[in-house]
Amino acid sequence: PDAIFDLTGDGAINAEDKAVLVTDVLDTAFGDADLNGIVEFSDFLALSRNFGQDDKGWADGDFDGDKLISFADFLLLSQFFET
């Protein structure tokens, strides 16, 4: 892995780096598909339209980065969902 992705500077590229990317670099939360800073119903709709599909990205609801829209992505969205 390329050291440029080590956003925490700890010598490892892991979930902590992903969290820094989402919260500090993108200034948003997991589940914010449209990157408007709020995890809301429109983000849920993006995830639900693509649920079960693979080879997808963040805007489609792949919030854990595994290229599959799954229950794990829904759980991430639900943790940060604003009513």
Side-chain angles (χ1 to χ4, degrees):
D2 195 337
I4 194 169
F5 298 111
D6 180 14
L7 301 178
T8 60
D10 63 359
I13 299 170
N14 52 31
E16 292 171 5
D17 297 298
K18 190 185 309 185
V20 168
L21 174 66
V22 172
T23 59
D24 297 347
V25 176
L26 297 175
D27 193 29
T28 194
F30 285 96
D32 183 14
D34 58 10
L35 298 176
N36 70 349
I38 305 167
V39 181
E40 56 195 344
F41 190 64
S42 62
D43 303 307
F44 171 76
L45 290 176
L47 183 147
S48 65
R49 277 192 303 271
N50 297 293
F51 196 83
Q53 297 182 33
D54 61 1
D55 201 27
K56 296 292 182 174
W58 182 274
D60 304 308
D62 179 22
F63 305 123
D64 63 4
D66 67 354
K67 301 259 184 222
L68 173 66
I69 313 302
S70 66
F71 188 65
D73 299 299
F74 172 76
L75 290 176
L76 282 170
L77 181 143
S78 68
Q79 290 174 7
F80 297 96
F81 192 82
E82 297 183 27
T83 57

